[in-house]
């Protein structure tokens, strides 16, 4: 196994793990939103104010990580 094959497999594994983690985080955030909407103790207008920044931070971080991994992998191939 040469260096490019190893790097390609490692990039695939890291990308798959990041994508799976992102999917899990999004599902948990949506579940928290749904549970918060039906909870009697939580004001429905406030749940969006609470979840929105966390959701944007998680999505932005993972998208940035995926883009960085893919761009760095493409530079090495040239």
């Amino acid at each position: 196994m040469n260096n490019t094959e190893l790097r390609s497999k490692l990039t695939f594994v890291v990308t798959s793990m990041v994508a799976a983690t992102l999917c899990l985080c999004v599902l948990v955030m949506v579940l928290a939103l749904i549970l918060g909407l039906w909870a009697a103790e939580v004001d429905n207008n406030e749940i969006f104010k609470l979840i929105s920044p966390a959701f944007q931070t998680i999505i932005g971080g993972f998208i940035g990580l995926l883009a960085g991994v893919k761009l760095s992998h493409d530079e090495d191939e040239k």
Side-chain angles (χ1 to χ4, degrees), residues 25-37:
C25 287
V26 169
L27 287 174
V28 169
M29 294 290 287
V30 169
L31 181 66
L33 176 66
I34 290 172
L35 291 176
L37 286 175

Side-chain angles (χ1 to χ4, degrees), residues 5-66:
E5 288 178 13
L6 182 62
R7 188 178 297 245
S8 177
K9 285 186 180 185
L10 181 63
T11 302
F12 175 74
V13 169
V14 169
T15 305
S16 298
M17 288 173 50
V18 168
T21 306
L22 176 61
C23 290
L24 184 63
C25 287
V26 169
L27 287 174
V28 169
M29 294 290 287
V30 169
L31 181 66
L33 176 66
I34 290 172
L35 291 176
L37 286 175
W38 276 293
E41 303 87 24
V42 179
D43 183 20
N44 285 347
N45 294 327
E46 296 298 318
I47 191 73
F48 291 108
K49 291 179 185 176
L50 293 172
I51 289 186
S52 180
F55 190 74
Q56 290 174 356
T57 302
I58 290 171
I59 297 296
F62 278 114
I63 296 298
L65 180 64
L66 281 173

Side-chain angles (χ1 to χ4, degrees), residues 63-74:
I63 296 298
L65 180 64
L66 281 173
V69 167
K70 285 298 187 182
L71 287 176
S72 69
H73 181 68
D74 290 341

